[in-house]
Amino acid sequence: INAEYGQHPQQQQQQQHPQQQPNNNYQTGYNSGPYQPFPPNNNNNYYPNNNFGFNSSQQQSPYSQIQAPNSNRMTGWYAQYFQMLSPPEVQQLLQMFQSLDRNSDGSISAQELSSLAFGGRQLEYRTAFKLVRVFDKDFSGTIDRYEFAAMHKFLTLIVKAFDKADNQKKHYLTFGEAQMALRETGFQMSPPTFGSLFNKYATKAAITGTVPNIPGSSSSMISLSIWIEFIVDIALLRSRFERSDVSRSGQLHVNFDQLAQLSADI
């Protein structure tokens, strides 16, 4: 299994990268090399002093201040999403985190996260469960405020990619539109792989009735809720791949049992 990761297209446009040698391996992530760090670009470097516009000298409750995580805390492919947040966005997300944290323990479980609405619909529990697994770096079974902030930005970009591809406001994506939306999210995969995955989720959309039944149409479609599940599954597999690739080579040598474990929740 081979994968290469790098930065979001928005960051790639603003930074110069060394010329890379082409390879014959399809990429399942971003395209600037395996597990490169995700430093904020000059325009988005909101937090040079590791604070977010709050006065750290004041005595405040645990929910009144959020500081930038240290380099060991926010690493991995999704660290870039945290760096995209502006100070006002961080304050809003802190308030949202507090409202979702029902028992005020400083973390959010999948059950608590499932009450969050995106795209006008509440997250399904299975999607919330997978999101926790994607962003739960310390394997606590919950996500903290930093992980939640990165997750929320990630979901926001997923919905924006769907809306941009759905320029006719049909509330569903065809195969070609979904390909365009996938590129907007930054993920890349070969056409055969994308086709297989799209057919899987389009079938699910048809069975669950989340897309319209158009008489005489043979086109497969996916709704926003299925789209979110689609991309979250890719993100979960990516997180599991990265955590298993301890040598940071962008490659895994696995047997069948290990492959089954990696894809167990997909």
Side-chain angles (χ1 to χ4, degrees), residues 10-11 40-41 43-47 51-52 66 68-69 74 78-94 145-157 160:
Q10 293 176 351
Q11 293 174 308
N41 58 54
N43 293 330
N44 285 340
N45 189 6
Y46 294 110
Y47 316 116
N51 65 59
F52 300 105
I66 180 171
M74 285 299 291
Y78 55 76
Q80 59 183 315
Y81 299 108
F82 189 90
Q83 301 291 351
M84 293 178 185
L85 296 169
S86 65
E89 287 178 311
V90 171
Q91 295 184 43
Q92 292 176 355
L93 290 175
L94 182 59
R145 63 194 69 183
Y146 307 121
E147 294 162 341
F148 172 78
M151 181 218 71
H152 192 279
K153 187 64 175 181
F154 171 71
L155 283 176
T156 299
L157 293 177
K160 285 184 176 180

Side-chain angles (χ1 to χ4, degrees), residues 72 74 81 108 129 196 210 244 262:
N72 294 326
M74 285 299 291
Y81 299 108
I108 293 178
F129 178 79
S196 296
T210 59
S244 299
L262 279 172

Side-chain angles (χ1 to χ4, degrees), residues 97-119:
F97 181 92
Q98 184 177 1
S99 66
L100 293 172
D101 183 14
R102 299 169 185 168
N103 59 1
S104 300
D105 64 350
S107 62
I108 293 178
S109 65
Q111 185 65 46
E112 291 171 323
L113 185 60
S114 64
S115 63
L116 181 66
F118 252 90

Side-chain angles (χ1 to χ4, degrees), residues 118-164:
F118 252 90
R121 295 188 59 176
Q122 188 171 318
L123 286 177
E124 296 186 8
Y125 175 79
R126 66 175 178 271
T127 302
F129 178 79
K130 291 176 181 180
L131 279 167
V132 169
R133 286 179 171 249
V134 170
F135 291 91
D136 179 20
K137 179 176 174 58
D138 55 4
F139 305 103
S140 64
T142 59
I143 54 175
D144 62 24
R145 63 194 69 183
Y146 307 121
E147 294 162 341
F148 172 78
M151 181 218 71
H152 192 279
K153 187 64 175 181
F154 171 71
L155 283 176
T156 299
L157 293 177
I158 289 177
V159 174
K160 285 184 176 180
F162 182 97
D163 290 340
K164 183 176 180 179

